[in-house]
Amino acid sequence: MTEDECWWEPPMAGTDEEHLVAALDRLRVTFRWKADGLDSAGLNTRIGASALTLGGLLKHLARVEDITFAWKIRGESPGEPWVSAPLDDSDAWEFTSCAEDSPEYLYGLWDDAVTRSRASLGAILRDGGLDRPAHWQWPGGGRFSVRRIVYDLVEEYGRHAGHADLLRETVDGRVGEDPPAGWRPVSGSGAWTWTAS
């Protein structure tokens, strides 16, 4: 296989920074592959009593991307639709309001958030790197480093990629750890497909 066929693969050898960023990107790709190419019914499929859906995960992870790279790291507003949304710590709004959103909107929301996040992280890596302090602080405990916040995002994606595995298998039987060689998204803008930073 070539790099073009499996463009999401981390480097075979690299720096700690390169591997951390690549691990995050690989999880983003895995999640996006699991959510890709569905209509409203597929994006709103639930399992049992859980409120999780692939559409809700697209919206939730778009919010997480924007909050992470705007507010947690830079102390800036995450912008719309988050500023005017009726949000609380439960994440319930993302998982209920997504049923009213079109697939195009949900894919675009996530694609655009990831594109912004990758640009922001690229700028951070060129200007001080992962060990610089972020805006976000632990109450009474000082500021988090950018590295810590990026690791938290890797954990977030790992958890939700697992949820997406189960949801997608329920929708149409798609299973697997990684996309097949040569995969490209069929839904959304595809603006988030990238080359290495």
Side-chain angles (χ1 to χ4, degrees):
M1 283 187 256
T2 67
E3 280 186 28
D4 286 343
E5 290 177 311
C6 296
W7 49 271
W8 54 85
E9 280 296 316
M12 295 295 287
T15 66
D16 175 62
E17 179 180 287
E18 290 167 336
H19 282 282
L20 175 59
V21 172
L24 174 57
D25 281 345
R26 182 180 186 188
L27 282 167
R28 285 170 168 155
V29 170
T30 299
F31 168 74
R32 187 58 164 76
W33 172 59
K34 293 293 181 172
D36 193 43
L38 295 174
D39 60 12
S40 290
L43 288 175
N44 287 298
T45 296
R46 293 170 54 175
I47 299 173
S50 174
L52 289 177
T53 64
L54 288 167
L57 288 171
L58 281 164
K59 197 168 195 174
H60 170 70
L61 288 169
R63 176 184 174 210
V64 169
E65 292 275 0
D66 283 338
I67 287 174
T68 296
F69 287 96
W71 183 77
K72 286 183 178 181
I73 291 177
R74 296 188 320 262
E76 298 173 1
S77 169
E80 292 298 341
W82 320 121
V83 172
S84 60
L87 299 172
D88 60 26
D89 290 337
S90 72
D91 302 323
W93 179 79
E94 291 121 271
F95 293 107
T96 57
S97 67
C98 68
E100 301 164 15
D101 298 321
S102 71
E104 295 78 19
Y105 174 78
L106 292 169
Y107 289 122
L109 187 69
W110 188 87
D111 289 350
D112 292 346
V114 170
T115 298
R116 283 188 299 276
S117 294
R118 290 196 84 247
S120 179
L121 184 54
I124 289 165
L125 296 177
R126 290 186 298 275
D127 183 31
L130 294 170
D131 292 321
R132 66 188 268 191
H135 166 75
W136 195 29
Q137 297 183 51
W138 190 264
R143 293 180 182 232
F144 289 93
S145 69
V146 171
R147 181 185 307 274
R148 163 62 195 272
I149 293 172
V150 173
Y151 269 106
D152 286 353
L153 191 56
V154 168
E155 179 185 1
E156 181 92 10
Y157 267 98
R159 182 171 46 253
H160 291 316
H163 296 139
D165 281 338
L166 297 172
L167 288 162
R168 185 59 186 246
E169 186 174 6
T170 300
V171 171
D172 63 6
R174 178 179 283 181
V175 295
E177 182 178 334
D178 291 315
W183 175 80
R184 296 286 190 273
V186 298
S187 55
S189 67
W192 61 277
T193 58
W194 54 77
T195 57
S197 297

